[in-house]
């Protein structure tokens, strides 16, 4: 097990699709991408957490965590990934490893748990997640999953991602490797069309996939598989029959997109569904790839006609907000694809970005930020909470957009804050989503509570 994990880690670290990796010498490449983790580093998510985030949106399978109950408790429903049907993914399954299991081993307990899940819930597959404790005591989940799959006639997928392997992003990639090794290519769709695509690294946060799907439906483009937002196991299994793919976050599943192109000749590009311009560009590139793979040329004309209608409709709805938001300064503490895609979306309504975090962004993400913001790019690699507080307190920003962990900095500074990360309850993708985002920003900035909390207390 340890040897298998080490080999898999090395293969992920040597990802040929990563420009940063290609710039390294052979000696540097052998060291991999991981740096020594510091105490508290897992606060942003360990490898196990990253794998659970990537795979849990496969909504009809059972996700079984082989480890202490706290691992499942801390990772359960940690994103607003929605389902249009099955709710199995929202049930927490864990082997609840105890002290006795640490002494005697937990493989038999794992096998019994798999059997109980199949008998009670009959899911199309069971995903089994390795955790730190069970990896340290040497439980071989791959052997147990193979035995259980043969015994019960169901796919039982081992996801070997103990938290100590690395950070959340590494867990995303290891989850992708599990799909490539055990799921993708194991089934065939009932039929295929020249308009079939995959959407990779999309998690249907707050229903964002459903804001984009009607646009693709209008063009006759079929989402063969979404990896993994609102996904079904069978869809993932036959995703190798798609004609083209869009990758929304190279930081998470670049290895999946690159290997599917290598193995199944599925061309892909990295795009974004955030903002009017980026949404239009994504539709154009999807149509272009499909035409190159054999779809009729008239798809390009229909795409341009749809873009013209949707852009005009979105700008008309944004017009009332532009006057109020023009020149408002935004501090954006996020990362990855949002470090540049949300920047472009906000600039479209005249807002000024005073800083955007690129701590979790790739080199390509940073280049896009610089390209979009020009010479005024304020890319923040690692802003401390004290620095955030000072920036807000001195009113160098009018609002902060970030994840939940940073909200208390803004609230302490008595400044408006809006959730832009995965815990949010509003979808911001597509033409509909940018209107929702701007509406939420306008509503947050205009909330009278901020003027009230800044006033001195009566006894002062």
């Amino acid at each position: 097990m340890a040897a298998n994990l080490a080999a898999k880690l090395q293969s992920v670290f040597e990802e040929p699709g990563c420009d940063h990796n290609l710039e390294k010498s052979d000696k540097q490449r052998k060291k991999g991408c991981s740096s020594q983790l510091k105490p508290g580093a897992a606060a942003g998510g360990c490898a196990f957490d990253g794998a659970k985030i990537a795979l849990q949106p496969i909504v009809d399978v059972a996700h079984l965590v082989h480890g202490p109950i706290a691992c499942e408790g801390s990772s359960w429903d940690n994103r607003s990934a929605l389902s249009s049907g099955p709710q199995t993914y929202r049930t927490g399954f864990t082997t609840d490893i105890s002290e006795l299991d640490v002494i005697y081993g937990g493989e038999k307990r794992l096998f019994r748990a798999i059997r109980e899940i199949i008998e009670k819930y009959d899911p199309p597959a069971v995903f089994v997640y390795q955790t730190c404790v069970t990896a340290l005591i040497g439980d071989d989940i791959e052997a147990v999953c193979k035995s259980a799959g043969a015994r019960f006639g169901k796919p039982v997928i081992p996801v070997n991602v103990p938290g100590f392997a690395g950070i959340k992003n590494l867990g995303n990639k290891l989850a992708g490797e599990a799909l490539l090794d055990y799921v993708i290519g194991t089934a065939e769709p009932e039929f295929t069309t020249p308009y079939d695509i995959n959407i990779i690294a999309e998690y249907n946060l707050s229903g964002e996939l459903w804001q984009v799907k009607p646009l693709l439906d209008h063009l006759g483009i079929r989402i063969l598989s979404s990896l993994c937002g609102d996904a079904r196991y069978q869809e993932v299994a036959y995703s190798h029959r798609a004609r083209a793919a869009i990758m929304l976050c190279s930081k998470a599943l670049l290895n999946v997109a690159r290997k599917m192109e290598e193995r199944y000749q599925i061309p892909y590009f990295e795009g974004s569904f955030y903002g009017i311009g980026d949404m239009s560009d994504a539709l154009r590139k999807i149509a272009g790839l499909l035409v190159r793979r054999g779809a009729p040329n008239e798809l390009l004309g229909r795409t341009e006609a749809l873009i013209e209608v949707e852009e005009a409709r979105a700008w008309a709805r944004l017009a009332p907000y532009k006057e109020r938001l023009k020149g408002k300064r935004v501090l954006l503490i996020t990362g990855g694809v949002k470090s540049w895609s949300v920047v472009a979306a906000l600039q479209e309504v005249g807002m000024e970005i005073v800083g955007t975090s690129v701590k979790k962004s790739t080199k390509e993400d940073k280049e896009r930020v610089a390209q979009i913001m020009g010479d005024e790019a304020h890319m923040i690699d690692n802003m401390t909470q004290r620095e955030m507080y000072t920036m807000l307190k001195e009113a160098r920003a009018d609002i902060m957009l970030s994840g939940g962990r940073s909200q208390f900095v803004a609230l302490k500074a008595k400044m408006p804050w809006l959730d832009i990360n995965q815990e949010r309850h509003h979808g911001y993708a597509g033409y509909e989503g940018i209107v929702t985002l701007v509406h939420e920003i306008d509503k947050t900035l205009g909330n009278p509570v901020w003027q009230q909390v800044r006033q001195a207390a009566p006894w002062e």
Side-chain angles (χ1 to χ4, degrees), residues 140-409:
D140 190 343
I141 67 166
E142 292 173 356
V144 175
C145 289
K146 184 176 181 180
S147 175
R151 173 75 175 275
F152 306 119
K154 292 267 188 183
V156 183
I157 313 301
V159 187
N160 193 10
V161 284
F164 58 70
I167 59 175
K168 180 169 67 176
N169 172 243
L170 176 64
N172 296 151
K173 289 182 168 57
L174 290 175
E177 290 294 321
L179 293 180
L180 289 162
D181 290 344
Y182 299 103
V183 184
I184 295 172
T186 60
E188 294 293 334
E190 293 182 5
F191 65 93
T192 60
T193 76
Y195 303 96
D196 292 346
I197 68 166
N198 291 332
I199 300 180
I200 300 174
E202 203 295 321
Y203 305 115
N204 197 33
L205 301 180
S206 303
E208 287 188 337
L209 178 65
W210 304 332
Q211 293 175 323
V212 176
K213 189 175 183 300
L215 301 171
L216 299 174
D217 289 343
H218 184 86
L219 295 173
I221 296 173
R222 180 171 72 145
I223 301 175
L224 187 67
S225 178
S226 173
L227 301 173
C228 295
D230 194 20
R232 310 296 189 270
Y233 179 80
Q234 281 296 109
E235 293 175 359
V236 179
Y238 58 59
S239 61
H240 63 298
R241 295 305 182 196
R243 298 297 182 91
I246 175 174
M247 178 177 60
L248 297 181
C249 183
S250 61
K251 188 78 171 174
L253 293 177
L254 171 62
N255 54 327
V256 173
R258 200 264 310 167
K259 288 185 177 180
M260 290 188 75
E261 181 176 47
E262 185 180 90
R263 296 178 186 178
Y264 308 112
Q265 292 73 55
I266 303 174
Y268 73 92
F269 70 95
E270 185 177 5
S272 167
F273 291 150
Y274 294 122
I276 294 174
D278 285 337
M279 185 67 241
S280 298
D281 287 344
L283 291 176
R284 288 189 182 102
K285 289 178 180 177
I286 289 171
L289 281 182
L290 289 173
V291 168
R292 277 171 44 196
R293 295 298 308 280
N297 282 328
E298 54 91 21
L299 176 61
L300 298 176
R302 289 194 288 112
T303 301
E304 289 300 330
L306 175 66
I307 288 172
E308 183 179 353
V309 171
E310 291 294 335
E311 284 192 351
R313 179 171 172 268
W315 282 121
R317 297 177 66 193
L318 289 173
Y321 299 104
K322 290 186 69 174
E323 190 63 34
R324 292 195 296 271
L325 296 180
K326 185 176 181 180
K328 293 292 184 181
R329 295 159 299 175
V330 180
L331 175 61
L332 184 62
I333 304 296
T334 177
V337 67
K338 290 196 293 295
S339 62
W340 56 270
S341 57
V342 174
V343 165
L346 297 177
Q347 286 184 334
E348 285 176 340
V349 293
M351 302 188 78
E352 177 187 347
I353 312 298
V354 296
T356 179
S357 170
V358 291
K359 182 180 178 182
K360 300 178 182 178
S361 302
T362 63
K363 178 185 175 183
E364 294 76 18
D365 291 330
K366 294 177 183 178
E367 289 174 351
R368 284 192 177 97
V369 173
Q371 183 180 2
I372 293 168
M373 298 179 68
D375 295 333
E376 299 178 2
H378 300 288
M379 292 184 285
I380 303 163
D381 274 314
N382 191 12
M383 177 179 273
T384 66
Q385 293 191 343
R386 185 179 294 276
E387 290 170 332
M388 284 184 215
Y389 176 79
T390 301
M391 190 171 192
L392 293 169
K393 194 69 175 175
E394 294 176 357
R396 282 180 277 160
D398 297 304
I399 185 172
M400 182 165 81
L401 274 58
S402 71
R405 286 193 299 274
S406 305
Q407 66 174 305
F408 301 105
V409 178

Side-chain angles (χ1 to χ4, degrees), residues 69 127 297:
I69 195 168
F127 281 50
N297 282 328

